[in-house]
Amino acid sequence: MLQQFRYLFFIFVFFFFTNSMALETDWSVGSESQVRLISPITHNDNQSEIYIGLEYQLQKGWKTYWLSPGDGGFPQEIVSNNSQNIKALEIKWPTPEQFEILGIQSIGYKDQVIFPIKISLEDITASTHVVFDINYLTCKDICIPGKAHLELNIPSGEAELTKHFFILEKTLSLLPQESLSVSFLEKVNTNIYADEEFISFQLKAKAKKSFDNPSVYLHTEFGLPVINPNTVLTANSKKLTSDFIFDKNIIKENKIDVQFVVADQNRSFVINQTLTVQNKDISTNNNYLFILLIAFLGGVILNAMPCVLPVLSIKLLSMLQHLEDPLSIRRSFVVTSIGIIFSFILLAVSFISLRHLGISIGWGMQFQQPIFLMIIGLILAFFSLNLFGLFEIPIPRFMNAKVVSGLQENYYTRDFFSGFFATIMATPCSAPFVGTALTIAFTQSSIMMLSIFIFMGIGMASPYFFVSFFPGSLRFFPKPGSWMIYLKYLMGLLLFGTLLWIGNILLNHFNYYFIYASIFLLLLILFFSYFIRHKKLILLIATVIFFTFPNFSFFNPVSMKTNSDWLDLTTINLEELKEENILFIDVTADWCATCQFNKINVLNSQSIKKVFEQYNVIKIRGDWTKPNTIIEKFLQRHKKFGIPFNIIYNKENPKGIVLSELLSENEIVEVLNKL
């Protein structure tokens, strides 16, 4: 009997202790989502202010919403009229994230989220009865409203910690900082500007160290749609400017309460202010000059990329024969510069037209099309053969003799199209500043996109302009001699190497028989052009035959399985893998020269392979050699419109840490060490 009494006493004490050390409500009823209240303490601890937590548990793929969710949902509503001993409530909103639901951009939370609630008590000697009626919305493929009635009683008196204390303390520590002095920011300025058409909510921030991958969120009382702000970082990533631009007709008030949240990895800062709308031309307030400078620098750097350098070298080489005629040099380089700028304008107009037609656009996207690759391959073949002295195309006789004479003497047409060719060869390359300029261009108005492309063209044409202004600079080269012939052959080899690269890309669209047939056709052209005078006719017939190859199923590609320790981005569930793993994602393409540089010099190096093994990194690759909507959407979610694109994810960094376009081993190791 005594033994049974001991067991009953033990069970009573156990359940009483467990209940007192886990002050919480039951989960609400629901299949997609459940909510409950949790308390970090057993009593109010004789304090006038206490915290409790409103915890959401969402099923996989389901999301709920932030203060300003946009057009796609509504934030939670809490009615506490039946509560007792509560003077005031203040809901603390954790840092949200942006996502797409049913094709609409929204802001909110997924999986599990706890909203700390600060409660001011009327009487610290009385018990507090919390009664919440909660309305909220969860969405996945459909949206389902949720309701919950929760009651929690918190007695007065000295408190002990419950099992929820640490999770609530962690949640509070991760809330956006409200004090600038303890945040990761050094300085923050906010303004609202308006002109006759637009209103701009602007935030300028300076980081104490630097920004990695910042996001900025805006909340107002007007239920504004979720848009991607125009965000610009300085070259050292220490200063940030974000502009949210809306139609002025949406907002009529002159004084507006605003909240900005600046998030960067696991750091965030929130600022609440009442701002007066200032009259100012919005177009002068977007750092456009700085953006155009970035575009110009990107264009300059493109000349040093392996795709473009041979073209510039050949141009310089051709002018060494005319050192005694500076006027001819000036004209030649000016015409080439005009060709480069005009081709960038043509690219911009093409991208703008495609965007208006609703077609996804991206830098280098033309290299995904086999016909374009065939055209480039044909040009490269004749270009390289010409440098070896094996093939020349005479000017047609039907052209006016005066025009022919001018063309043969000044080569203006050739100069102009060499500028075109340099631009085309630049498109599979990316470089510092190029990615930034393109991201801004593809997310801005048509006028801004055109301006960015023009300045990128001016930047790429700047070496040519320099020589045209200072033709005497060519005298720094050695005097013309036999070395020029060997250099000419070297340039021919470089172009021939580029042709082999194009051929390798074409193997994604055709099989090896296509390559063999193309080589055989090229040899036939050389053979017949040597013995037959009608070279133009031979070239025309051969070109027609070449472009009929894609119509033959005989040349269709054969799918080949390759053994690789890289997962395919298009077949995995990225959200699942993020939760428990470190992920390294490489979006690449066979036509992307910078991507190949990253693979050869960094990703395929033994040291990086060992680092990936050390940190158990899951490697994922997205191959954008051919058009792929999954990869396009992935890039667009990260506001990227060109490749290479490399990003590292883990549980603490669900938005990812974006890496430089030109990778380095030190950068990857440094990021992994921080995780």
Side-chain angles (χ1 to χ4, degrees):
M1 184 70 180
L2 183 61
Q3 188 71 18
Q4 291 177 344
F5 177 77
R6 285 177 179 174
Y7 282 135
L8 288 172
F9 179 76
F10 173 78
I11 293 170
F12 172 77
V13 170
F14 174 79
F15 278 105
F16 178 80
F17 180 78
T18 304
N19 186 55
S20 66
M21 297 302 286
L23 196 58
E24 63 191 30
T25 66
D26 292 331
W27 288 104
S28 64
V29 178
S31 56
E32 296 80 19
S33 62
Q34 295 175 309
V35 295
R36 68 174 178 177
L37 291 175
I38 58 175
S39 174
I41 52 178
T42 58
H43 297 72
N44 66 15
D45 207 24
N46 299 318
Q47 300 294 317
S48 60
E49 292 181 345
I50 59 174
Y51 277 94
I52 62 172
L54 175 59
E55 183 177 9
Y56 280 73
Q57 188 70 50
L58 305 172
Q59 292 299 314
K60 183 180 174 181
W62 289 84
K63 299 175 176 68
T64 192
Y65 294 95
W66 184 58
L67 271 167
S68 282
D71 297 329
F74 60 82
Q76 63 182 355
E77 298 173 353
I78 299 176
V79 179
S80 60
N81 296 338
N82 295 323
S83 298
Q84 297 175 5
N85 197 32
I86 293 179
K87 182 165 55 177
L89 290 175
E90 183 183 355
I91 302 174
K92 302 288 187 179
W93 293 79
T95 305
E97 61 180 285
Q98 188 169 329
F99 48 77
E100 184 178 295
I101 289 285
L102 305 176
I104 301 172
Q105 290 296 316
S106 296
I107 301 175
Y109 310 93
K110 64 180 181 180
D111 300 332
Q112 181 188 32
V113 60
I114 297 175
F115 296 90
I117 300 176
K118 183 179 178 181
I119 299 177
S120 299
L121 305 182
E122 292 178 345
D123 182 1
I124 64 172
T125 63
S127 294
T128 303
H129 191 55
V130 181
V131 181
F132 283 174
D133 288 295
I134 305 167
N135 293 312
Y136 62 95
L137 185 69
T138 58
C139 294
K140 187 181 179 183
D141 299 322
I142 59 172
C143 289
I144 298 178
K147 289 186 177 182
H149 177 82
L150 304 175
E151 296 188 24
L152 182 68
N153 192 65
I154 304 173
S156 61
E158 293 186 6
E160 295 183 19
L161 304 182
T162 71
K163 68 177 184 180
H164 303 299
F165 175 80
F166 294 104
I167 186 64
L168 198 55
E169 282 297 307
K170 181 181 179 181
T171 303
L172 285 167
S173 69
L174 293 176
L175 288 175
Q177 292 286 345
E178 298 179 16
S179 172
L180 193 63
S181 60
V182 297
S183 74
F184 70 104
L185 300 179
E186 182 180 319
K187 187 178 180 181
V188 175
N189 288 317
T190 57
N191 288 288
I192 302 177
Y193 300 106
D195 58 18
E196 293 182 357
E197 295 183 65
F198 302 104
I199 184 167
S200 172
F201 296 79
Q202 184 187 82
L203 176 136
K204 289 186 176 182
K206 181 180 180 182
K208 291 177 180 176
K209 292 184 178 179
S210 64
F211 290 103
D212 292 319
N213 187 26
S215 299
V216 182
Y217 306 105
L218 171 69
H219 167 63
T220 69
E221 60 182 318
F222 303 106
L224 297 172
V226 174
I227 63 170
N228 293 321
N230 302 330
T231 299
V232 178
L233 285 172
T234 55
N236 61 1
S237 296
K238 287 206 68 172
K239 294 181 180 179
L240 169 148
T241 301
S242 272
D243 286 281
F244 294 81
I245 301 176
F246 301 94
D247 190 325
K248 190 182 178 183
N249 294 325
I250 297 177
I251 301 170
K252 302 295 184 182
E253 282 75 1
N254 193 46
K255 283 195 173 183
I256 302 173
D257 293 327
V258 298
Q259 179 185 107
F260 285 98
V261 176
V262 185
D264 191 20
Q265 310 306 336
N266 58 350
R267 310 168 296 176
S268 57
F269 175 79
V270 61
I271 182 170
N272 294 280
Q273 287 186 323
T274 301
L275 300 175
T276 302
V277 179
Q278 304 175 53
N279 293 322
K280 190 174 183 180
D281 185 1
I282 301 298
S283 63
T284 64
N285 194 45
N286 283 310
N287 285 327
Y288 282 173
L289 291 177
F290 179 71
I291 294 170
L292 296 178
L293 176 61
I294 289 176
F296 175 82
L297 292 174
V300 173
I301 295 172
L302 276 176
N303 286 288
M305 302 306 290
C307 331
V308 185
L309 189 58
V311 181
L312 177 59
S313 302
I314 291 169
K315 180 66 182 177
L316 292 171
L317 185 65
S318 66
M319 286 295 103
L320 291 178
Q321 301 281 5
H322 304 278
L323 290 176
E324 303 305 322
D325 188 3
L327 182 60
S328 174
I329 294 174
R330 280 198 177 99
R331 288 175 176 172
S332 177
F333 276 86
V334 166
V335 171
T336 302
S337 302
I338 293 172
I340 291 172
I341 296 170
F342 185 80
S343 58
F344 269 91
I345 293 173
L346 192 61
L347 271 177
V349 171
S350 301
F351 284 135
I352 290 168
S353 301
L354 290 172
R355 187 168 67 177
H356 279 297
L357 292 172
I359 299 173
S360 297
I361 56 177
W363 184 249
M365 60 183 290
Q366 68 274 19
F367 277 82
Q368 297 174 335
Q369 306 302 324
I371 295 299
F372 176 82
L373 291 169
M374 291 171 68
I375 294 171
I376 292 297
L378 197 65
I379 294 172
L380 283 170
F382 292 132
F383 228 110
S384 55
L385 290 175
N386 181 266
L387 287 172
F388 287 119
L390 297 175
F391 192 86
E392 289 187 4
I393 303 173
I395 295 172
R397 292 181 180 178
F398 62 81
M399 294 182 66
N400 181 278
K402 187 176 181 181
V403 174
V404 172
S405 175
L407 285 171
Q408 289 177 334
E409 182 180 349
N410 298 311
Y411 296 96
Y412 288 161
T413 304
R414 182 180 296 180
D415 291 333
F416 183 82
F417 282 102
S418 69
F420 249 88
F421 186 64
T423 301
I424 291 171
M425 294 309 297
T427 53
C429 284
S430 186
F433 300 109
V434 173
T436 304
L438 291 173
T439 298
I440 297 170
F442 290 143
T443 57
Q444 297 295 306
S445 65
S446 299
I447 296 297
M448 191 60 193
M449 182 189 286
L450 182 61
S451 302
I452 288 172
F453 270 78
I454 289 174
F455 271 78
M456 197 180 296
I458 293 172
M460 187 171 169
S462 57
Y464 300 86
F465 277 126
F466 178 82
V467 176
S468 67
F469 292 145
F470 305 101
S473 60
L474 291 178
R475 296 187 181 277
F476 287 100
F477 288 89
K479 291 183 178 181
S482 59
W483 68 270
M484 291 180 59
I485 298 173
Y486 297 113
L487 185 59
K488 186 178 177 182
Y489 291 160
L490 176 62
M491 293 300 106
L493 284 173
L494 289 176
L495 286 183
F496 188 74
T498 307
L499 176 62
L500 293 178
W501 171 55
I502 294 293
N504 183 61
I505 301 171
L506 280 167
L507 286 175
N508 290 280
H509 304 275
F510 307 106
N511 57 28
Y512 281 100
Y513 293 115
F514 174 87
I515 303 297
Y516 299 150
S518 301
I519 294 172
F520 180 72
L521 188 62
L522 184 62
L523 292 175
L524 282 179
I525 293 172
L526 290 175
F527 176 79
F528 284 112
S529 63
Y530 186 79
F531 292 104
I532 301 175
R533 295 179 57 187
H534 302 288
K535 293 184 180 181
K536 296 186 295 296
L537 181 61
I538 295 170
L539 181 61
L540 178 62
I541 294 172
T543 302
V544 171
I545 294 173
F546 179 61
F547 283 101
T548 60
F549 284 177
N551 297 319
F552 296 100
S553 59
F554 179 73
F555 295 125
N556 288 346
V558 178
S559 58
M560 298 176 62
K561 293 184 179 180
T562 57
N563 294 323
S564 174
D565 55 352
W566 290 77
L567 300 181
D568 185 352
L569 179 62
T570 62
T571 61
I572 61 166
N573 188 321
L574 191 59
E575 298 303 320
E576 271 188 14
L577 289 175
K578 280 184 194 178
E579 294 177 1
E580 301 295 337
N581 303 283
I582 299 176
L583 311 181
F584 180 91
I585 295 182
D586 174 38
V587 181
T588 181
D590 288 351
W591 46 261
C592 171
T594 314
C595 303
Q596 306 312 313
F597 175 88
N598 287 341
K599 285 181 188 177
I600 295 169
N601 293 281
V602 181
L603 298 180
N604 292 342
S605 68
Q606 291 300 318
S607 56
I608 286 298
K609 288 181 179 179
K610 289 179 181 178
V611 169
F612 283 160
E613 289 177 5
Q614 177 186 345
Y615 287 93
N616 295 318
V617 175
I618 295 178
K619 298 179 292 183
I620 302 168
R621 179 160 282 155
D623 189 349
W624 207 33
T625 302
K626 294 181 180 180
N628 187 291
T629 54
I630 295 175
I631 295 175
E632 285 174 13
K633 289 181 179 179
F634 177 78
L635 290 171
Q636 289 169 6
R637 280 202 306 271
H638 292 85
K639 304 172 189 175
K640 297 293 180 181
F641 299 89
I643 54 174
F645 177 61
N646 298 99
I647 187 169
I648 294 176
Y649 293 105
N650 72 341
K651 190 173 183 179
E652 287 72 32
N653 296 279
K655 295 180 184 177
I657 301 172
V658 178
L659 303 178
S660 305
E661 290 161 341
L662 282 173
L663 288 177
S664 68
E665 293 183 7
N666 289 338
E667 181 184 18
I668 295 174
V669 172
E670 187 177 326
V671 171
L672 291 176
N673 285 336
K674 288 180 180 178
L675 299 180

